[in-house]
Amino acid sequence: MMPLFGKNDDKPKLIETVGPVPEGYHSESILISEEITASGIGAQLKVLKDLQSKCRERNLDGYANLKFTAAGAETGAKITVFGYADGIKQN
C-alpha cells in the first residue's frame, strides 16, 4: 500500500489510545512527559511526540490510558502541560 502524501512509512506503527490496555498487550512501564509553554497551542502535540519517542527508545509497542493535565497561572504566565500513559508491549 502506498503511503499518503508521499510520506515515508518505514517506522513501525505504535498503538496509541486513551482507552485501556488492549487485549493481547500488557503494561510494561509508565511514560511521563511535560511541555512548558506560554500557550497551550501545540503543547499536547509536543507531549505526544515525546511519548512516541520514549516508546521507541524503550522498544515498546505503544501506550494506553493516555491522560493530559496542565498547571500554571491563569494570568498569561507560562503553563506546564503534562502527559502520562502506560507503556505497553504485546504478550
Side-chain angles (χ1 to χ4, degrees), residues 19-41:
V21 175
E23 188 173 329
Y25 291 82
H26 65 276
S27 179
E28 185 82 11
S29 65
I30 296 174
L31 304 173
I32 300 171
S33 180
E34 66 182 58
E35 179 68 27
I36 300 171
T37 180
S39 162
I41 299 172

Side-chain angles (χ1 to χ4, degrees), residues 11-86:
K11 291 183 183 175
K13 298 288 185 214
L14 294 173
I15 306 291
E16 300 172 285
T17 181
V18 296
V21 175
E23 188 173 329
Y25 291 82
H26 65 276
S27 179
E28 185 82 11
S29 65
I30 296 174
L31 304 173
I32 300 171
S33 180
E34 66 182 58
E35 179 68 27
I36 300 171
T37 180
S39 162
I41 299 172
Q44 286 183 331
L45 288 176
K46 290 178 182 177
V47 167
L48 286 175
K49 287 187 183 285
D50 187 46
L51 292 174
Q52 293 166 351
S53 176
K54 288 179 180 186
C55 282
R56 289 189 175 94
E57 287 170 8
R58 298 177 187 182
N59 200 29
L60 298 171
D61 295 322
Y63 56 81
N65 296 315
L66 173 64
K67 303 282 187 266
F68 285 105
T69 190
E74 296 179 16
T75 59
K78 295 198 182 264
I79 63 167
T80 304
V81 176
F82 299 95
Y84 51 98
D86 293 322

